[in-house]
Amino acid sequence: MKTVAQVVVIGGGVVGCSILYHLAKNGWTDVVLLERMELTSGSSWHAAGGLFTVVRPNAAAEMHKYTFQIYRELEKESGQDCGFHVTGGINICRTQEEMDSNAMMQSACRRLGIESHFISLHEAREKVPLLDTSHMLGALWEEEGGHVDPASATQAFAAAARQLGAEIYRHTPVTATHQRSDGSWDVDTDKVSIHAEYIVNAAGLWGREVAAMAGIELPLMPVEHHYLVTENLPIIENLGFELPQINDNETGVYARQEGMGLLLGAYESSCTHWAVDGTPLDFGHELLDEDLSRMEWNFEKSVELMPCLGDAGIKRIINGPMIFSPDLGPLIGPHPQLSNYFCANGVMAGFNQGAGIGRALAEWIIQGEPEIDIFCWDVARFGAWADKSYTRQATRYFYQNRSEKVYPYQEFEVGRPIHKPAVYARLSEANAVFGSSFGLEHANWFAAPGVEAKDSLTYRQPNWWKPVIDEGKRIRNELGLMEFSTMAKFEVSGSAAGRWLDFVMANKMPNLGRMTLSPMLSAKGRLAGDFSIARIDEDRFMVLGADTMQLAFMRHFDRYLPEQDVVLKNLSTEFGGLHICGPNAQALISRLAQADMDSAHFPFMSARSMTIGNIDNVLVFRVSFTGESGYEMYLPMQQQLALFDLLRSEGENLGLGLVGTRALMHTRLEKSFPAWALELSPDYTAVEAEMDRFVSLDKPDFVGRDAVIDYAPAREKFVTFSVDAGECALWGDEAIFLDGEPAGYVTSGGFGPLTEKHIALGYVSCDAYQITGQYSIEILGKLCPAELHLEPLYDPAGAKMRA
Ligand SMILES: Cc1cc2nc3c(=O)[nH]c(=O)nc-3n(C[C@H](O)[C@H](O)[C@H](O)COP(=O)(O)OP(=O)(O)OC[C@H]3O[C@@H](n4cnc5c(N)ncnc54)[C@H](O)[C@@H]3O)c2cc1C
């Protein structure tokens, strides 16, 4: 056995084996996988092996698509048959809402070239003669759907990895992991200890136990999951072809052909957790006691759709455990608290996602970053707020509600509120409709008095459409007050603070009393963050960015942080924020600040700590993402309420009204301001996202500088459209067409409150960028004419925000 390796992967399920294969395939062959029993001794051996590609978000779809590519190659490369069947897949639509949901997915998947199209009920019955189509309105057909044999696919990854030089030690449980001072790891087993530069926790059902060996806690919880296999069905025996993968999302059911019978699995309407306090160490190739009564509702709905099930005999029932994160998405990537420690945990659909996770982790380990933005699965998306109680509640909720559609801007109530801003009660009294971001509540919009403070859920225009437009108008015409704590807030101080920020950020740091906007780039020159940075004192800066990214940002900062002379603090929860915006904002702050606030003394992009009313040391930044004149104010959370009351009472005769974050997101569309996770992400270079004007190449050195100099030509162009969408709505991910051919995609959409136009921001491929082109945007299956705008629809010169 080896005692030294570049990487030790812990766990020989499909995910661990795929990671090992991808490391070796990318040239890292000094790699080892440790498995406590035989390979596939967790969830992998009893999976149903169903495969599909039409999923959201896009990064997940790309991973699913890659799976199909890899299984085709893997069978040849390993010589191991994976039992890979490409049958196509059919998404059953029982309601108009499901049709809409599928139309949105279909449009989103065009970006990746994933082929899907709606088929008639007649065609649906031709493809699946078992269907009683009277329960359906329609169906979406996906070309890449099918299934794989789980054990064979896992063995194929293992065999191909071995052929490339990787080593696998079975019956070798990892008993402890210790980190050395240089960041490398000792991995103890019952036989030897292996010294590795990196370790990967791919321990599946035991992800929590292996994490605990390194002193970390992962938000994971196992649940039980059933599927059954019927006896042979005559209708299938007489088919003459193999059935496609069947997804009946509204009933939480998936099905596929197994032999001459049907395999039918269900996300049961009551979720049963398993091994809540820890997965038994002696659990292996076992199943759990079956309880088909939990599948009763799902099964009844399936009999309605496929009546031949009504008198089918049941050959086999599987009840197996799988382990989930709170949102049921995988937890992958470098753990934010530990160097050289990678997670590959909570993988819900390992036979769809394992290949992509292997690819992404190998890229992350070898190249320092994955090739695509995979934040939707990043372990850093959960903070300490996702504790055991939250994880338990959320896994139950999302498992049980898997048959529910996810709507644009949908907020989930489960486990909330976790953290509340100090002004929560005031917002609540004003009938705020709350959302939650990284565990903190914020007001999305305000319902009229007496109206239920709740979002309606639809793909068309929801109940908040008009109120949010009205809030936007208030911002444009008078004065809005917004609770504004959901920002990642970092304080960087110390004698080398400026120098360090100049190195880690792409723009030059501001002078004292000023702010700047700066992208943060990865070593490969991709966007790793987007910040407002204010210099409060000579050696003290405030750095503000997207709140959900705060642990991911910390992870990036930590890579470059020197041991001395720079103090970095994450003040995101300690500090609260308030924002005033609109033409009367300057009048309000002038009344309250003990400083000259006119534009001559405190111009646009000024930043200072000042006294507001009787509240000292309020950090005031003259900037507004709405594109109006505005001021962001940050202060310790316990003082937020006093400042809020002061602003509200003084602003009364200046037309002040409470506004929510949705009004912010809609007003910024009129300004074509890009937002993190929508227009800005590691998927783009600074040039593609038009952020290069904030990249200061005259600085001698900063992270990503070499890559910027060597940028390949841009693949896509950032664009703004106004769209003739009528009574529909734009949400993001819709396909953009040029002369009837797919040309790009929308990243975010909405309605401009002052311009009164549907607005879409997005990207088109550079080849398809034509100033006079006839563009259209696909909304719920219909092509709507779109007009390209070369500058923002509102105040293109930026005179308002400087006024
Ligand atoms: C009933 C059922 C049906 C499913 N159907 C599908 C489907 O149709 N499609 C799909 O894509 N997915 C499906 N899944 C999910 C799929 O099974 C999982 O996503 C996948 O198996 C997870 O793989 P893994 O490698 O992460 O974990 P696991 O399979 O749990 O593997 C983890 C491995 O780590 C080893 N290990 C743990 N601790 C240690 C240690 N200390 N030292 C050494 N080794 C250790 C374990 O022995 C185990 O072999 C299904 C799951 C269930 C339960």
Side-chain angles (χ1 to χ4, degrees), residues 167-298:
E167 295 192 17
I168 297 178
Y169 304 127
R170 294 172 298 127
H171 299 285
T172 309
V174 170
T175 51
T177 55
H178 312 277
Q179 189 161 32
R180 294 190 185 180
S181 56
D182 66 356
S184 64
W185 289 86
D186 289 309
V187 183
D188 297 347
T189 72
D190 59 346
K191 302 182 181 81
V192 295
S193 181
I194 304 180
H195 179 222
E197 198 179 340
Y198 298 96
I199 55 177
V200 181
N201 175 353
L205 292 172
W206 296 265
R208 293 171 298 173
E209 285 71 20
V210 169
M213 292 178 194
I216 51 171
E217 201 173 324
L218 293 176
L220 290 169
M221 188 60 63
V223 306
E224 299 186 9
H225 180 68
H226 279 92
Y227 68 80
L228 56 83
V229 181
T230 69
E231 299 285 0
N232 288 4
L233 295 170
I235 190 169
I236 295 183
E237 284 172 328
N238 296 326
L239 271 182
F241 61 89
E242 188 175 6
L243 287 174
Q245 167 85 15
I246 303 162
N247 303 310
D248 185 7
N249 187 48
E250 286 175 297
T251 64
V253 166
Y254 58 88
R256 68 168 173 84
Q257 188 171 330
E258 170 86 351
M260 289 297 142
L262 203 68
L263 180 156
L264 191 126
Y267 290 87
E268 305 94 327
S269 40
S270 81
C271 162
T272 304
H273 284 122
W274 178 75
V276 170
D277 295 318
T279 305
L281 293 179
D282 58 353
F283 189 80
H285 277 87
E286 290 118 302
L287 289 174
L288 308 175
D289 292 342
E290 65 210 44
D291 177 6
L292 269 194
S293 67
R294 277 193 253 138
M295 255 181 94
E296 205 172 297
W297 178 80
N298 316 77

Side-chain angles (χ1 to χ4, degrees), residues 10-17 34-52 172-175 202-207 209-210 213 223-227 245 254 256 263 267 281 283 318-323 344-353:
I10 305 170
V14 63
V15 174
C17 291
L34 300 174
E35 166 54 49
R36 69 192 176 111
M37 291 183 173
E38 289 293 343
L39 298 180
T40 74
S41 292
S43 295
S44 294
W45 74 272
H46 54 239
L51 306 174
F52 48 98
T172 309
V174 170
T175 51
L205 292 172
W206 296 265
E209 285 71 20
V210 169
M213 292 178 194
V223 306
E224 299 186 9
H225 180 68
H226 279 92
Y227 68 80
Q245 167 85 15
Y254 58 88
R256 68 168 173 84
L263 180 156
Y267 290 87
L281 293 179
F283 189 80
I318 302 281
N319 181 19
M322 56 213 290
I323 191 160
N345 301 102
V347 182
M348 176 196 199
F351 294 91
N352 286 282
Q353 301 166 338

Side-chain angles (χ1 to χ4, degrees), residues 322-442:
M322 56 213 290
I323 191 160
F324 293 142
S325 77
D327 60 11
L328 310 195
L331 298 178
I332 69 168
H335 194 278
Q337 287 163 20
L338 295 172
S339 53
N340 299 17
Y341 189 102
F342 282 77
C343 295
N345 301 102
V347 182
M348 176 196 199
F351 294 91
N352 286 282
Q353 301 166 338
I357 289 173
R359 183 184 93 179
L361 276 204
E363 290 162 356
W364 222 326
I365 293 170
I366 296 171
Q367 304 170 22
E369 56 191 279
E371 286 290 324
I372 65 163
D373 173 24
I374 194 70
F375 186 72
C376 59
W377 288 355
D378 194 329
V379 62
R381 73 188 183 280
F382 292 108
W385 53 271
D387 61 9
K388 194 167 174 180
S389 157
Y390 175 80
T391 304
R392 200 169 168 176
Q393 292 177 65
T395 46
R396 175 184 301 285
Y397 175 84
F398 286 110
Y399 187 92
Q400 290 184 174
N401 289 285
R402 231 182 114 73
S403 57
E404 299 292 325
K405 278 158 281 298
V406 176
Y407 291 92
Y409 284 86
Q410 185 169 355
E411 299 278 354
F412 298 95
E413 296 297 324
V414 60
R416 290 173 47 203
I418 301 174
H419 298 301
K420 297 192 268 189
V423 299
Y424 183 84
R426 293 282 193 280
L427 303 177
S428 199
E429 281 159 21
N431 219 14
V433 184
F434 288 99
S436 170
S437 187
F438 214 70
L440 181 64
E441 296 290 310
H442 61 268

